[in-house]
Amino acid sequence: MKRFAALYLPLAALVLLVTLIVGITLAASELDKLTIRQSEQLKMGAELFIEALNRPLNHLRGLVRDPVVNHAFRAAPEEARTMMEDRLRTLMYLNPPYDQARWLSAAGMELARVDRLEEGPVVVSRQDLQDKAQRQYHREAIRLGPDGIFVSALDLNVEREVVEVPHKPMLRMAIRLPLVAGQDQGLIVINLQAQQILDRLAHLITSGEGEEVLLVNDQGYPLLAPDPADAW
């Protein structure tokens, strides 16, 4: 028995060691594949968001150079409001993902606004315009120089300090307007509906069987979860 142990236990230990090494090598290989795949997924996700943002950002830059908008900057307040409402409503008609478009004064008051309702883009009446001075997108964007662009974090739409239900994930993009004849023209802001972007992201990076997506913000709150009830 001792002779058997002396002959075969070292061999068994060697086999076990080789098995462990092979197992570890395979595990490391799978980990490398997973790391590469996750890097590719992050790159595809970033490219998806960049693609989604390019169009509204180009529209904001185009509005600043639009002759009608520039005429509005020099017009009397009521005429300016009407011209800007018409331009923003046209923008909304042509771009279904846009949920709201607004012109804000430098002080943060809405001067013109168009909302997307079931019947389509609708100009908001004067008495329903709101003060947005305390919203982060106004505080951040108003500090920029002319033509400066601000893009908000992804969050939920808020109206009159209340989160809108059902939840509407939203990105807000603002462009800083110039001084015209000594008057600060404030900001133009577009609200971009983000649910379609999140849905495309989930579809894009869950090609493997059993894969699920959990997207969190910098505070750890889920923006996209396997169970939609867990998001937000």
Side-chain angles (χ1 to χ4, degrees), residues 63-85:
L63 282 170
V64 174
R65 291 158 181 77
D66 186 294
V68 175
V69 170
N70 275 270
H71 181 64
F73 292 158
R74 294 170 172 79
E78 286 305 310
E79 182 185 4
R81 190 191 315 271
T82 299
M83 286 190 290
M84 194 68 80
E85 287 171 345

Side-chain angles (χ1 to χ4, degrees), residues 8 28 30 46 58 67 89 122 129 131 135 141 148 180 206 222 226:
Y8 291 101
E30 291 300 316
N58 286 335
R89 181 167 49 190
V122 175
L129 296 175
D131 185 351
R135 297 301 304 276
V180 176
T206 54

Side-chain angles (χ1 to χ4, degrees), residues 11-27:
L11 180 59
L14 179 61
V15 171
L16 178 60
L17 178 61
V18 171
T19 302
L20 287 173
I21 291 173
V22 171
I24 292 171
T25 302
L26 288 174

Side-chain angles (χ1 to χ4, degrees), residues 73-75 103 106 176-186:
F73 292 158
R74 294 170 172 79
W103 178 26
R176 188 67 167 93
L177 300 176
L179 288 173
V180 176
Q183 296 294 317
D184 191 332
Q185 299 302 313

Side-chain angles (χ1 to χ4, degrees), residues 36-68:
I36 292 171
R37 175 165 173 74
Q38 288 176 337
S39 297
E40 291 173 347
Q41 290 173 333
L42 287 173
K43 181 181 178 182
M44 289 189 296
E47 289 173 348
L48 174 63
F49 271 92
I50 291 171
E51 177 188 348
L53 294 179
N54 273 338
R55 187 176 180 86
L57 292 178
N58 286 335
H59 284 156
L60 285 172
R61 296 185 183 103
L63 282 170
V64 174
R65 291 158 181 77
D66 186 294
V68 175

Side-chain angles (χ1 to χ4, degrees), residues 100-206:
Q100 294 176 339
R102 53 169 64 86
W103 178 26
L104 292 179
S105 72
M109 189 65 197
E110 290 179 334
L111 301 176
R113 173 174 148 194
V114 178
D115 286 351
R116 183 171 301 284
L117 303 180
E118 289 185 5
E119 60 268 32
V122 175
V123 173
V124 174
S125 62
R126 309 293 196 268
Q127 62 267 26
D128 289 328
L129 296 175
Q130 301 175 43
D131 185 351
K132 299 292 185 178
Q134 299 307 312
R135 297 301 304 276
Q136 183 183 12
Y137 63 83
H138 177 267
R139 296 199 308 268
E140 296 289 339
I142 206 66
R143 298 173 184 170
L144 301 174
D147 291 340
I149 293 286
F150 170 79
V151 180
S152 76
L154 178 61
D155 60 12
L156 297 176
N157 196 48
V158 176
E159 293 298 337
R160 301 191 183 279
E161 310 305 321
V162 177
V163 174
E164 188 173 357
V165 178
H167 289 162
K168 292 169 68 174
M170 204 71 62
L171 284 164
R172 297 166 190 83
M173 282 146 284
I175 189 165
R176 188 67 167 93
L177 300 176
L179 288 173
V180 176
Q183 296 294 317
D184 191 332
Q185 299 302 313
L187 306 168
I188 294 178
V189 184
I190 293 174
N191 284 22
L192 175 66
Q193 298 175 17
Q195 188 59 57
Q196 289 185 349
I197 302 174
L198 293 174
D199 292 342
R200 288 179 60 197
L201 179 64
H203 177 73
L204 183 67
I205 64 179
T206 54

